[in-house]
Amino acid sequence: MIERILLLLLFLAGFYGLIARRNLIKKVYALSIMNMAVLLLFIVEGGGLGSQMPIVDSAGEGQHYVDPLPQALMLTAIVVGVCISIVALTLIYRLYRVHKTLDCEELRERIHHE
Amino acid sequence: MNMKKETLWGAVCVLLTALALLPLVLPSHPWPALVRDTLAIRGYDDTGAPNLVAAMYLGYRAYDTLGELVVLLAALTAAIGLIRKTGAAPLPREEGASKKTHTEIINVTAGKLSPMVLLFGWYLMFYGYQSPGGGFQGGVVLASGIIFIALGRREEWVGRLNVRRYDASSISLGWIEAVSFLMILLLCIAGPLRGFSILENPFPGKEGFHPAFYITGFNICIGLKVGSGIAMACLFMMEKSND
């Protein structure tokens, strides 16, 4: 229970950063923190089933394995999260080269004036 | 005043989100063990991979992995296209900013670490089918090794992997990525060519081939693709013109 509440707090910290921060780079970091909280939630939940790594030839019995399904799914989520970060940071980099600011309110005003 | 207002509205939003998410987090239903038990019994026989995570992402959910690689390819293409389009003109350096971005400590440490990191990446790719590891993890570690080489300013090493060389006579990261993606597509159609369904392990272990042959090949191709792609994006971002 306590780990779920901690992960919810981590998710909310990321959510706060996403909506309340004006710096675009910080918004991308906040998105990554939210992503990481969800990943960890799935890994923690699947890990509650057992205590041994899910490798068939290891000494463990089947009923002591952790669940491999959330691990495999989160592997996909990690790669997609990295893709989102790469594209977002590149777009921010281009915006910075053109408008010389990372503040989203300033950016909106400058783009509105042009 | 504006900043305070933003903070206040941010706190209200966070509170509302917490109220919406709490019912999902508080109940403690037991995690279902059905998938784990089924995989423990059938996973190895169905896919040929003792590592059940590899059995999942390269066997049962291989379409998912293929889609993920296409997403990665699209993201890298977009990122590299956007970076190249900005041109090579350097940004004006801010007053007082230090010109020295590399110290001797970083150069030496990164240079010495890079061969070990690269070796570890290959280990993860080759043994991912029967130990913790796999293509994606190995690929990211390979990319870290290449970035270490670049950080250590081993120009003569990274020169052959230059991201801006696309001629056929040189090995470049772009070529490695393209060839590994082609190899992945060939591995996808290896099943139908041998009378199995698409993305099914075509070497089930009865004709002299180890059943993990297919999984290891897939892991190595995925590792090369992911490693070269991420390393290429990072090297583009690290170019001097972007400092």
Side-chain angles (χ1 to χ4, degrees):
Chain A
M1 173 62 82
I2 184 73
E3 66 269 15
R4 289 192 196 179
I5 294 174
L6 287 175
L7 287 172
L8 176 66
L9 290 179
L10 187 65
F11 182 87
L12 291 175
F15 186 66
Y16 177 79
L18 187 69
I19 53 177
R21 292 284 150 190
R22 292 168 68 166
N23 188 315
L24 290 173
I25 302 265
K26 287 182 183 170
K27 278 184 192 287
V28 176
Y29 281 166
L31 202 62
S32 290
I33 291 172
M34 286 169 73
N35 186 20
M36 208 47 71
V38 176
L39 298 181
L40 285 174
L41 178 70
F42 273 83
I43 300 288
V44 165
E45 290 292 310
L49 273 189
S51 57
Q52 288 176 352
M53 55 187 178
I55 292 174
V56 170
D57 280 348
S58 66
E61 301 288 325
Q63 64 268 28
H64 297 307
Y65 292 157
V66 298
D67 194 350
L69 179 66
Q71 298 197 8
L73 293 183
M74 290 312 108
L75 206 56
T76 310
I78 290 171
V79 175
V80 174
V82 169
C83 291
I84 291 172
S85 296
I86 288 178
V87 176
L89 287 174
T90 323
L91 282 171
I92 293 169
Y93 170 69
R94 278 215 70 179
L95 275 174
Y96 182 77
R97 300 246 351 188
V98 175
H99 296 287
K100 302 282 181 281
T101 178
L102 288 173
D103 188 312
C104 59
E105 292 299 323
E106 262 185 59
L107 262 175
R108 186 177 296 158
E109 279 171 21
R110 288 187 192 190
I111 293 170
H112 195 68
H113 276 296
E114 281 170 9
Chain B
M1 185 61 198
N2 204 10
M3 204 71 182
K4 271 188 180 171
K5 205 175 159 188
E6 271 175 16
T7 311
L8 188 69
W9 278 113
V12 170
C13 287
V14 167
L15 200 66
L16 290 175
T17 316
L19 285 178
L21 289 179
L22 266 179
L24 292 176
V25 171
L26 287 181
S28 51
H29 291 295
W31 187 266
L34 182 66
V35 176
R36 192 269 314 263
D37 293 342
T38 312
L39 276 172
I41 297 166
R42 293 184 45 188
Y44 180 63
D45 294 330
D46 281 352
T47 61
N51 182 346
L52 293 177
V53 178
M56 182 59 80
Y57 77 81
L58 293 178
Y60 298 108
R61 298 184 61 87
Y63 273 117
D64 208 7
T65 304
L66 198 61
E68 187 181 338
L69 288 171
V70 174
V71 169
L72 185 66
L73 186 70
L76 288 172
T77 312
I80 290 171
L82 281 168
I83 294 175
R84 292 181 91 181
K85 222 175 171 183
T86 48
L91 284 173
R93 195 174 283 278
E94 284 176 22
E95 296 243 344
S98 167
K99 283 186 179 176
K100 195 174 182 183
T101 53
H102 283 73
T103 66
E104 197 60 32
I105 296 173
I106 291 179
N107 286 355
V108 172
T109 314
K112 299 286 181 214
L113 265 180
S114 54
M116 281 178 268
V117 174
L118 287 173
L119 191 65
F120 181 55
W122 283 105
Y123 170 80
L124 284 180
M125 276 152 49
F126 271 99
Y127 285 95
Y129 75 97
Q130 61 170 13
S131 67
F136 290 102
Q137 296 91 326
V140 174
V141 175
L142 267 191
S144 316
I146 296 171
I147 294 163
F148 271 142
I149 294 176
L151 268 182
R153 291 287 157 106
R154 295 283 194 272
E155 300 287 350
E156 72 276 18
W157 293 6
V158 88
R160 294 188 64 192
L161 298 174
N162 194 332
V163 288
R164 290 196 185 273
R165 279 167 72 172
Y166 287 102
D167 50 314
S169 62
S170 71
I171 309 167
S172 74
L173 290 173
W175 276 106
I176 294 175
E177 193 186 11
V179 170
S180 52
F181 194 60
L182 186 68
M183 292 294 293
I184 289 168
L185 293 180
L186 286 178
L187 282 172
C188 291
I189 58 166
L193 289 179
R194 286 178 59 86
F196 295 89
S197 67
I198 190 164
L199 285 168
E200 191 181 349
N201 190 344
F203 307 109
K206 290 170 187 160
E207 301 156 32
F209 281 108
H210 193 278
F213 181 74
Y214 180 70
I215 297 281
T216 308
F218 229 128
N219 264 339
I220 292 172
C221 292
I222 289 176
L224 284 176
K225 160 112 185 52
V226 171
S228 55
I230 291 182
M232 195 155 61
C234 290
L235 290 183
F236 258 111
M237 288 183 187
M238 282 166 66
E239 278 190 341
K240 279 179 190 163
S241 57
N242 298 328
D243 275 358

